[in-house]
Amino acid sequence: MKTRKSARAGQYLALLAYLVFLAFPFLWLISTAFKPPRELGSLHPTWIPKDPTLANFRQAFDEQPLLDAALNSLIAAVGAAVIAVLIATPMAYVMARHRTRLARAATGWVVVSQAFPFVLVIIPLFLVLKNLRLINSVPGLIMVYVVWALPFALWMLVGYVRAVPTELEEAAAVDGAGKLRTLVSITAPLLAPGIVATALFAFISAWNEFFFALVLLKTPEKQTLPVVLTHFLGAEGVADLGPLAAAAFLATLPSLVVFAIIQKRITGGMLAGAVKS
Amino acid sequence: MRTKRLVAMVVALLLTGSACTGGDGDSQDGGITLRFQSLAWQEESIDVNKELVKEWNAAHPDVKVEYVQGSWDSVHDQLLTSFEGGEAPDIIHDASDDLADFAYGGYLADLRDLLPERLKSDIPQRSWETVTFGDGVYGVPFLQEPRVLIANAEWLRESGVRIPTPEKPWSWDEFRAITDELGGGDEDGDGKYGVAWPLKEPVSATLNLSLSTGGQLFHRGSDGKVRIRFGAGDEVVPRTIHDQVNTDGSASSSTLGSGGSDTLPGFFGGKYAMVPLGFSFRQQIVQQAPKGFEWQVLPAPAGADGLTQGVSPQTLSVAEDSPHKEEAAAFIDFLLQPRNMVRLALGDWMLPTGTGALRDPALRVEEDGWAIGTALARYLRSAPAQSVRGYPEWKDKVATPAFQEYYSGAIGLGELRERLVGDGNLVLARYQR
């Protein structure tokens, strides 16, 4: 009993340490965003700014089109997440339920394709999009993000589909439900946590992506947040730290909000009791 | 119901961001539109660039310039992709050490017949050398920054050391002796150091400063091939830094892996008497220095070749694929009129390359060290490694780890030489077969 309690305490302690480790950069970012320049150069930095200021936010908004960039990022990320999930869900179902040699090969290819570096594909991709007249457009960027997120989304969802017992679908068939009805009414609701998790992955990947956006978007009004954030950086990594921190803090918020809204949907245990074993 | 609403919202969002591709260089009213990708990033600098574009557009209604904000981060990959895809901006802002691949790859226009005589003669030959690749000139060098010593003025005044000037700079030996006098770090027990070397990028700093002591490192033979030799002139700067860190204790070892900005808190906090930094760092110092903190700009130490230093100036180039090269060159000429070059230099806290701009009184004031910097302009030369093919690989795989180990005291001068020369020549040979 005592051993179990101390083990539990150790677990909580480890979890707390991990949380602190994760939270530190973000809290420091918030602190930096509200500091005036003279406090940024202090040898003895403080968590709470002595003279908190909104000047960094004002400068960030004055210098760069942050709102336009945020809207572009939102469109790209939501679009990529929705389309990736819409395509990946039926594909994952087929790959999970029909274990043919082709499906196995496809799964293998999906895993291998994750190893391709961005730089390897960027020029051919650029040329393809140019021919489609999708350079410098958010839909073009969404297309790239969907293609980029699809393999991992597929891989994630296959696992979720396999976790849904086939007995449930068989029972629905016995009750007279057709294939489509079974999918929509039985399987899809049970896949909801997986779909949400996959959508979240696709959203955050697109929201944070920098390189494709940098290369594919030419005009300022089309650029996304990660690209606009680099405008606060000079040569050799010199940074305009205050406005950069302010803009980065604002850029982090939507991801946090989206995660906060849908994280409660990513819960296990939805299948508990569905099948008597 | 909720699902339908969600779908409707997503569709609306997607429609909002529907495609709208860029122009092809000709505007609808029959005039020309040029795209100018600027890498300006400081508030003042962005403002100046945008103002100049506005002034040009007001004076040239038939040749509109569109300002495009680029960024230094990943600029090489971004430009390479744009060139390959035929979507490069007409006017390209970059740095001379990034141009070699683009120049040799045929992506940039040779500017020799495009630039007016006024601009050609305004910028000295030593600066043109930074943008000359083979027989062509592929950019206009317009802003540059020497490495200077930013010093705690009060500390220096109280110590009574001789203050160097561009006319009478410190020698490297004198510099070493003075830093030892100013602070011996932990050996003195007070944790104060005479100097903090921010050597996150040890190769370019060492090579560029070594020009002052006659260090060339890269030597082109009669066969046109470049070979590395590490002679007496190449040893002075690295040995000075090494001895300050490992023998005298007058340089902090903890800053060797830092960038320039990382050393500023320690500098403001009175830990370091001096920090060798690029000239443009003065802007951060003005912004961040505590009230009442006195600082001054000093020339870097001089060697057998005086105050000579290597630099890689910022450049303006024209894309080879641009259908309007003459107009693009005319815009560059406008941007780099002496009075405009001064505005750009002040906005970026750097030195202009143009002799006309350098004469401007605004760049000769004592305030913020402008006069010291301007006095150093005539000593700036092309960075030694700039035209060496294979330099990036040599730098990353051979030189950076070798210098880092040497400065930290892990290896001696003999092994540093062996690695820079022996391993280095093997790397360069692969690029020169």
Side-chain angles (χ1 to χ4, degrees):
Chain A
M1 194 64 195
K2 238 184 196 177
T3 318
R4 213 187 310 173
K5 268 188 180 169
S6 59
R8 177 61 55 89
Q11 281 176 341
Y12 279 121
L13 209 62
L15 191 64
L16 188 68
Y18 184 59
L19 277 175
V20 169
F21 175 74
L22 286 182
F24 177 83
F26 184 62
L27 295 175
W28 193 251
L29 180 76
I30 297 171
S31 170
T32 305
F34 289 96
K35 281 179 180 171
R38 291 195 199 291
E39 280 190 54
L40 293 174
S42 169
L43 185 60
H44 306 290
T46 52
W47 274 103
I48 311 293
K50 290 173 193 156
D51 299 309
T53 177
L54 291 173
N56 292 327
F57 291 90
R58 268 195 299 273
Q59 192 184 332
F61 276 101
D62 286 348
E63 276 182 44
Q64 300 298 339
L66 287 179
L67 286 178
D68 289 350
L71 182 65
N72 291 335
S73 281
L74 191 67
I75 293 165
V78 170
V82 170
I83 296 169
V85 162
L86 286 177
I87 296 173
T89 306
M91 281 174 77
Y93 183 82
V94 170
M95 284 168 79
R97 288 288 184 254
H98 304 279
R99 298 200 191 186
T100 60
R101 224 180 280 175
L102 183 67
R104 271 199 294 273
T107 309
W109 174 245
V110 160
V111 174
V112 167
S113 70
Q114 288 291 293
F116 291 158
F118 284 11
V119 176
L120 193 73
V121 299
I122 189 68
I123 291 174
L125 192 68
F126 189 93
L127 293 170
V128 168
L129 287 173
K130 191 187 170 193
N131 290 333
L132 294 172
R133 298 184 67 81
L134 285 173
I135 291 289
N136 198 35
S137 74
V138 176
L141 193 66
I142 290 173
M143 210 157 95
V144 173
Y145 287 168
V146 168
V147 169
W148 208 255
L150 211 49
F152 194 75
L154 207 52
W155 191 60
M156 267 175 93
L157 278 169
V158 164
Y160 279 104
V161 174
R162 281 186 188 152
V164 176
T166 50
E167 290 90 335
L168 289 172
E169 292 171 16
E170 287 162 5
V174 168
D175 289 341
K179 201 75 180 157
L180 191 67
R181 176 70 194 273
T182 305
L183 267 177
V184 173
S185 305
I186 306 294
T187 316
L190 294 173
L191 279 179
I195 290 172
V196 170
T198 306
L200 190 66
F201 155 79
F203 176 90
I204 290 174
S205 298
W207 180 265
N208 291 332
E209 201 283 326
F210 164 71
F211 188 59
F212 286 136
L214 172 79
V215 168
L216 299 176
L217 303 173
K218 294 188 296 182
T219 50
E221 63 272 13
K222 291 282 192 298
Q223 288 175 332
T224 56
L225 266 176
V227 176
V228 169
L229 286 182
T230 64
H231 297 164
F232 295 103
L233 294 173
E236 294 182 23
V238 184
D240 204 350
L241 204 54
L244 174 63
F249 168 56
L250 294 174
T252 311
L253 287 180
S255 282
L256 289 177
V257 170
V258 168
F259 192 82
I261 290 169
I262 64 177
Q263 61 95 24
K264 63 175 181 283
R265 292 187 178 266
I266 310 173
T267 49
M270 286 187 69
L271 300 176
V275 182
K276 275 189 180 175
S277 48
Chain B
M1 191 62 204
R2 253 197 311 185
T3 313
K4 276 182 186 169
R5 248 190 312 202
L6 186 70
V7 169
M9 270 168 60
V10 168
V11 169
L13 275 173
L14 291 175
L15 286 173
T16 311
S18 60
C20 169
T21 49
D24 57 359
D26 296 317
S27 55
Q28 287 171 335
D29 57 8
I32 290 168
T33 299
L34 299 172
R35 286 176 54 244
F36 165 41
Q37 179 172 295
S38 164
L39 302 181
W41 65 282
Q42 301 188 82
E43 193 175 9
E44 302 139 278
S45 177
I46 292 170
D47 290 348
V48 170
N49 274 276
K50 286 182 174 174
E51 279 167 20
L52 287 169
V53 167
K54 202 184 280 185
E55 287 169 25
W56 166 274
N57 286 338
H60 303 81
D62 295 340
V63 184
K64 281 267 179 282
V65 170
E66 182 191 346
Y67 179 91
V68 179
Q69 183 66 63
S71 71
W72 286 102
D73 199 15
S74 305
V75 67
H76 187 88
D77 294 334
Q78 184 249 329
L79 283 174
L80 182 63
T81 312
S82 302
F83 284 131
E84 285 285 345
E87 294 279 344
D90 299 276
I91 302 135
I92 295 155
H93 180 186
D94 202 352
S96 63
D97 58 356
D98 193 39
L99 295 186
D101 284 349
F102 299 145
Y104 289 121
Y107 298 119
L108 299 176
D110 183 353
L111 300 176
R112 282 175 302 174
D113 298 331
L114 293 169
L115 297 174
E117 202 50 47
R118 180 208 68 77
L119 185 57
K120 286 181 187 174
S121 58
D122 184 45
I123 293 171
Q125 184 54 32
R126 61 178 180 270
S127 294
W128 285 116
E129 282 166 13
T130 65
V131 288
T132 303
F133 301 96
D135 293 331
V137 170
Y138 295 96
V140 183
F142 71 111
L143 291 178
Q144 56 190 351
E145 62 172 332
R147 205 170 290 267
V148 292
L149 298 170
I150 307 285
N152 182 322
E154 192 183 354
W155 191 337
L156 258 62
R157 204 169 43 240
E158 285 173 1
S159 70
V161 300
R162 182 179 76 81
I163 304 297
T165 62
E167 295 73 34
K168 285 194 72 178
W170 287 329
S171 68
W172 282 96
D173 285 340
E174 194 179 359
F175 172 58
R176 184 182 161 190
I178 282 168
T179 54
D180 198 19
E181 194 180 325
L182 289 171
D186 293 334
E187 288 180 17
D188 292 355
D190 59 0
K192 294 189 170 190
Y193 297 88
V195 66
W197 284 95
L199 289 176
K200 196 176 181 179
E201 295 283 344
V203 183
S204 60
T206 308
L207 265 53
N208 288 340
L209 285 171
S210 287
L211 282 188
S212 69
T213 58
Q216 286 289 340
L217 202 69
F218 299 98
H219 300 269
R220 200 174 288 276
S222 54
D223 57 357
K225 290 185 176 175
V226 174
R227 287 178 188 81
I228 298 170
R229 286 200 303 273
F230 192 74
D234 299 294
E235 288 178 15
V236 180
V237 175
R239 200 180 50 231
T240 303
I241 298 171
H242 171 275
D243 291 350
Q244 285 174 321
V245 175
N246 300 288
T247 308
D248 310 336
S250 59
S252 168
S253 60
S254 63
T255 64
L256 290 176
S258 305
S261 307
D262 305 328
T263 60
L264 293 183
F267 177 62
F268 297 143
K271 272 185 78 174
Y272 319 123
M274 287 180 280
V275 187
L277 291 169
F279 194 53
S280 63
F281 268 90
R282 294 168 306 130
Q283 190 257 358
Q284 287 199 33
I285 291 166
V286 168
Q287 261 197 345
Q288 296 180 16
K291 282 195 177 86
F293 182 84
E294 289 183 67
W295 59 278
Q296 66 187 119
V297 174
L298 308 175
D305 281 11
L307 286 163
T308 309
Q309 249 190 74
V311 287
S312 299
Q314 290 186 24
T315 56
L316 292 169
S317 304
V318 176
E320 176 63 27
D321 284 347
S322 172
H324 308 295
K325 292 191 187 70
E326 284 84 5
E327 291 81 357
F331 173 71
I332 290 176
D333 179 45
F334 163 80
L335 215 56
L336 303 184
Q337 297 284 334
R339 66 181 183 284
N340 294 340
M341 217 193 256
V342 171
R343 289 161 70 186
L344 289 167
L346 290 170
D348 249 330
W349 290 73
M350 290 176 121
L351 294 177
T353 54
T355 48
L358 280 165
R359 282 195 294 269
D360 195 285
L363 298 178
R364 297 192 163 263
V365 294
E366 294 297 325
E367 195 185 355
D368 298 334
W370 278 108
I372 299 280
T374 307
L376 299 175
R378 62 197 172 102
Y379 300 106
L380 304 181
R381 302 281 181 277
S382 177
Q386 222 179 241
S387 59
V388 178
R389 315 232 28 201
Y391 168 75
E393 187 185 341
W394 173 81
K395 184 181 78 148
D396 292 342
K397 291 184 180 170
V398 178
T400 299
F403 275 120
Q404 282 171 339
E405 286 177 50
Y406 175 65
Y407 289 145
S408 68
I411 61 171
L413 194 64
E415 186 166 347
L416 173 71
R417 178 188 292 107
E418 202 173 299
R419 282 163 63 171
L420 292 179
V421 178
D423 298 352
N425 278 326
L426 287 176
V427 171
L428 295 195
R430 279 195 286 107
Y431 288 84
Q432 303 181 97
R433 280 173 188 149

